[in-house]
Amino acid sequence: MPDNSSYLVVPSSVLWLLGLAVVSISIIIIATLVLRARRARSATVAAEPAGGPLPEFEKNGQSAAASLVQWSPDTLRHILAKELPDAQVIVVSNREPYIHNRKGDDIQLVVPASGLVSALEPITRACAGTWIAYGGGSADALVVDENDRIEVPPGNPSYTLRRVWLSEEEQQGYYLGFANEGLWPLCHIAFTRPIFRASDWETYEAVNRKFADTVVAEARNERPIVLVQDYHFALLPRMIRERLPEAIIITFWHIPWPNSEVFSICPWREKILEGLLGSSIVGFHTQFHCNNFIESVDRFLESRIEREDSAISYGGEISLVHAYPISIEWPPAQLGKLPDVAQCRRRIRERFGLAENVRLCVGVERLDYTKGILDRFNALDELLKLHPEWVGKVALLQIAAPSRGTLPAYQQLYEECLRQADDLNQRYGREGYSPVLMVTEHHAQEQVYEIYRAADVCMVTSLHDGMNLVAKEFVAARDDEQGVLLLSMFAGASKELLEALIVNPYDAATMGDALLQALTMSQEEQRQRMQHMREIVRDNNVYRWAGSMLLDAARLRKRVAVDRAVGAAPTAPGNVISLLDRKRVAAL
């Protein structure tokens, strides 16, 4: 049967020409779209301020170019002059950078050995700012003017210290009570039960309100940059925002933030989160703590989480949540006042009666149950038990500054430390030799740096820590590029100082092995490890920490200014939405 179907035969050359035509048309269309996009971009850029296009906020507060900048006080001053002209910088913390105490008929000036003070004092000097803090010194009220202000540092004033006065009841409820019996153990995985009392919470609210009143009184205009420090002031950002809505408020939480399940223990969890979300930026040491905070907000507040931007929309406001690893001044000012390492070693050995052949391990911190002091003693016990040849050849100098001594948990820790130190000294000590030297008194920063320079090993064995600046101070003190840092995996510093011997403080046997490794490490290996750690601390110094936050504050301020200038229209092409648009969406 014949096949009557028709066939259309198309030569291959025609198919090739058709394909070429389709490709050509596609290229023309794409080129046209690109050209239009470029023109739109040019029009947008032309409408922006003379300073150039505004970059979006850098992820986690870190710019790709930041590592190329040599961060110093001059860098901070340049940022303020260029990015934040005429901006007033106000720092708020519980602890003050200078304390005046009575000593007989005289007034003694004390500079507290505090990680927070070490980080913030050089920044406030560089910014010529105002520092608001609790005036707890016995002679603090005698040296201030009629407005409770004093210019500091003494002899070379560069910023203003404004003191806030608290009654004994306020200090008991706000500081010792809610902050340190409640929030401190809640945020640290140290297995100490947090204690929450309604009376402490009421005092905490009242003291936060008192500090908010002081911030408003010290603000010279409606748009200061306020740097709120730590867990003592969780409610302060919202209180400031209510009265200074145009302020840039950066809250830095210096301790860890727990996961949402642990945080749910706090009876006033929603109010704490609402208070912190009064901030323009909430900062933590590590991204892990940022994530925990965001998860807590997501669980307990009706909010919009923008994970890609690390931002939270709540109540018509945007809060960025960024990681800013804190650090120290570089180079440390204390080094200029000290002799070389050899002389520091001689002085410390003479002071504590150490023989020349005894290797010196040091621990320096407040007497706190989060610092792993007892675990450090356990590691030394393991070393001496398994390697008796080290008996008489190694000693641990533990500097433990008294802290919160009226609280039962701290009294118990003090007693346990003394008991365990005595036990080790009885079992391994001999005439002229004690394996543990326990010194429970405050030391000035210069004295602490002298001890760092004299040490063979620095033991930082925190059970949980936001950063722990002792690790970075030890590295900065060792310009001889010697010494070994034994560092807890639960300290934020372990994410940066990877050449340290990273240990689990809960594992005494393994930590004892690490201590043996530190004591027997060759000078060349010490040098290689220390060189790299010193580069890290030098490049990621405290000025970079502050500069990153101030740059983000500048970008935020410019973004809001542009939004207002163009009537809250989008200020950048594509999927970037203006802050005011985001606020409107968040309020729906």
Side-chain angles (χ1 to χ4, degrees), residues 160-471:
T160 301
L161 173 59
R162 167 68 191 272
R163 285 170 169 154
V164 177
W165 314 113
L166 300 178
S167 68
E168 187 174 338
E169 288 182 358
E170 287 175 320
Q171 181 71 353
Q172 179 67 40
Y174 138 80
Y175 178 76
L176 292 174
F178 189 77
N180 287 311
E181 283 191 294
L183 288 179
W184 179 267
L186 178 74
C187 292
H188 288 86
I189 304 172
F191 309 106
T192 297
R193 177 172 175 157
I195 300 172
F196 293 108
R197 307 179 188 90
S199 58
D200 290 344
W201 168 254
E202 292 169 2
T203 306
Y204 186 84
E205 281 187 301
V207 170
N208 272 245
R209 182 71 64 187
K210 180 179 284 192
F211 272 84
D213 293 341
T214 306
V215 170
V216 173
E218 291 296 320
R220 295 195 296 263
N221 54 51
E222 297 293 319
R223 304 176 67 202
I225 295 175
V226 186
L227 305 178
V228 178
Q229 304 302 312
D230 226 352
Y231 62 102
H232 311 94
F233 299 113
L235 306 180
L236 185 58
R238 177 66 59 190
M239 293 174 175
I240 297 172
R241 175 70 61 214
E242 290 169 353
R243 298 172 63 183
L244 295 173
E246 296 185 36
I248 298 295
I249 304 169
I250 304 175
T251 300
F252 194 83
W253 195 265
H254 288 262
I255 63 177
W257 188 274
N259 63 48
S260 60
E261 185 173 7
V262 171
F263 185 67
S264 69
I265 294 172
C266 181
W268 301 279
R269 54 184 180 252
E270 289 87 359
K271 290 187 177 181
I272 288 175
L273 293 173
E274 288 173 353
L276 289 170
L277 291 180
S279 309
S280 313
I281 302 172
V282 183
F284 297 91
H285 291 300
T286 69
Q287 187 59 40
F288 183 69
H289 297 149
C290 292
N291 296 345
N292 281 348
F293 177 77
I294 291 172
E295 290 298 331
S296 298
V297 173
D298 197 21
R299 179 172 176 179
F300 298 113
L301 296 182
E302 196 68 34
S303 59
R304 177 183 171 185
I305 309 295
E306 301 177 26
R307 297 183 188 276
E308 186 175 353
D309 296 332
S310 295
I312 298 172
S313 302
Y314 178 75
E317 298 287 340
I318 300 292
S319 297
L320 303 178
V321 183
H322 283 175
Y324 305 95
I326 200 171
S327 194
I328 62 172
E329 184 179 18
W330 185 276
Q334 290 78 9
L335 289 188
K337 307 172 186 176
L338 291 172
D340 60 26
V341 168
Q343 190 169 342
C344 288
R345 289 175 68 87
R346 284 195 298 272
R347 283 161 53 165
I348 293 299
R349 287 176 178 278
E350 288 175 6
R351 176 181 169 188
F352 293 101
L354 295 171
E356 212 31 63
N357 66 329
V358 174
R359 308 296 296 279
L360 177 61
C361 305
V362 302
V364 180
E365 52 260 306
R366 290 184 305 105
L367 189 62
D368 193 286
Y369 52 76
T370 66
K371 301 302 181 182
I373 298 174
L374 294 172
D375 304 87
R376 195 173 305 162
F377 291 169
N378 291 337
L380 179 63
D381 189 11
E382 287 289 325
L383 172 74
L384 298 179
K385 182 166 52 180
L386 296 177
H387 301 277
E389 68 274 14
W390 279 96
V391 174
K393 296 180 181 178
V394 61
L396 170 58
L397 171 60
Q398 178 60 58
I399 305 297
S403 175
R404 306 166 191 167
T406 60
L407 299 182
Y410 290 82
Q411 294 172 353
Q412 181 180 349
L413 173 67
Y414 174 70
E415 293 168 1
E416 287 182 6
C417 285
L418 290 181
R419 185 162 53 248
Q420 192 162 347
D422 287 342
D423 177 62
L424 289 172
N425 287 336
Q426 287 178 12
R427 285 194 286 128
Y428 300 110
R430 59 184 65 166
E431 186 177 354
Y433 167 73
S434 297
V436 178
L437 304 170
M438 185 85 177
V439 182
T440 55
E441 60 187 44
H442 291 281
H443 282 64
Q445 281 292 87
E446 186 176 334
Q447 295 174 306
V448 168
Y449 270 81
E450 184 179 36
I451 291 170
Y452 291 147
R453 288 167 72 77
D456 296 292
V457 181
C458 180
M459 301 182 72
V460 178
T461 55
S462 309
L463 303 181
H464 202 189
D465 235 330
M467 176 56 68
N468 195 298
L469 292 180
V470 166

Side-chain angles (χ1 to χ4, degrees), residues 483-494:
V484 181
L485 175 62
L486 196 147
L487 179 59
S488 167
M489 62 188 291
F490 302 116
S494 67

